[in-house]
Amino acid sequence: MSKTDSRNGVPATLTEIPLTDPHAKPFEPSIGDLIKDATTQVSTLLRAEVELARAEITRDVKKGVTGSVFFIAALVVLVYSTFFFFFFLAELLNTWLPRWAGFLIVFGAILLVGAALAVLGFLRVRRIRGPRETIASVKQTRTALTPSRDKPASTAGELSAGYVTPEPADPSGW
């Protein structure tokens, strides 16, 4: 036994601290308790993984933005330096032609290059067709998940055979 302090009745020394009730029956968790604990732990793990991914993506986006600022600054310097290059070309042509003709030739060349780049950009943008494969996949998923009583008979048979008739192409590209 331990000695008791005369002032407040609290034992002066304690030989051990029981972490559990020594008289309690051993606890056997039920299947429901185990499933509840497992789902709680999986949920906590998933939240932690999502938080980690969010932190990593935020860090990488900040690095990307910082790098982009330097690229934009370099592009601005390059754009302003081309102004002096065009003056150089016009002055170089001044050695063989009148000054106004040199500047006019350089201006015409700049317009031709700008027009060519605009045409190339238009041709590239005109080819954009949208996410056709994704739309088709979503339609297939929707059809597959629709209860069979709501499906047309031919579509249900085609899905079970592993064949889905392609949708007619949308002329707008979407």
Side-chain angles (χ1 to χ4, degrees):
M1 283 311 307
S2 61
K3 297 181 180 178
T4 306
D5 189 0
S6 62
R7 291 178 288 161
N8 57 11
V10 177
T13 60
L14 192 59
T15 57
E16 66 180 35
I17 299 175
L19 298 177
T20 59
D21 185 7
H23 304 295
K25 294 180 182 176
F27 177 67
E28 292 284 332
S30 67
I31 299 290
D33 290 336
L34 292 174
I35 290 173
K36 178 182 159 191
D37 289 344
T39 55
T40 302
Q41 290 173 359
V42 167
S43 175
T44 303
L45 177 65
L46 288 177
R47 275 193 233 116
E49 290 292 336
V50 167
E51 189 61 35
L52 175 63
R54 182 180 299 142
E56 287 179 338
I57 289 171
T58 302
R59 181 194 64 212
D60 290 345
V61 166
K62 286 180 182 178
K63 287 181 183 178
V65 167
T66 304
S68 297
V69 167
F70 287 116
F71 280 123
I72 291 170
L75 185 63
V76 167
V77 169
L78 181 66
V79 166
Y80 283 122
S81 68
T82 57
F83 178 76
F84 293 104
F85 177 73
F86 294 132
F87 263 101
F88 161 75
L89 285 179
E91 291 295 332
L92 182 65
L93 290 174
N94 185 30
T95 58
W96 298 287
L97 301 169
R99 188 172 184 159
W100 65 267
F103 279 95
L104 185 62
I105 290 171
V106 170
F107 176 70
I110 291 171
L111 284 182
L112 285 175
V113 169
L117 290 174
V119 168
L120 288 174
F122 173 74
L123 292 176
R124 290 289 179 161
V125 169
R126 192 176 70 176
R127 290 189 205 168
I128 296 174
R129 299 289 179 230
R132 290 181 176 178
E133 293 176 17
T134 302
I135 292 171
S137 173
V138 168
K139 286 180 181 179
Q140 286 177 350
T141 303
R142 183 182 64 201
T143 304
L145 295 177
T146 304
S148 61
R149 67 179 184 280
D150 296 339
K151 291 182 191 174
S154 61
T155 305
E158 290 170 353
L159 279 176
S160 64
Y163 174 75
V164 177
T165 56
E167 297 280 330
D170 186 7
S172 69
W174 292 94

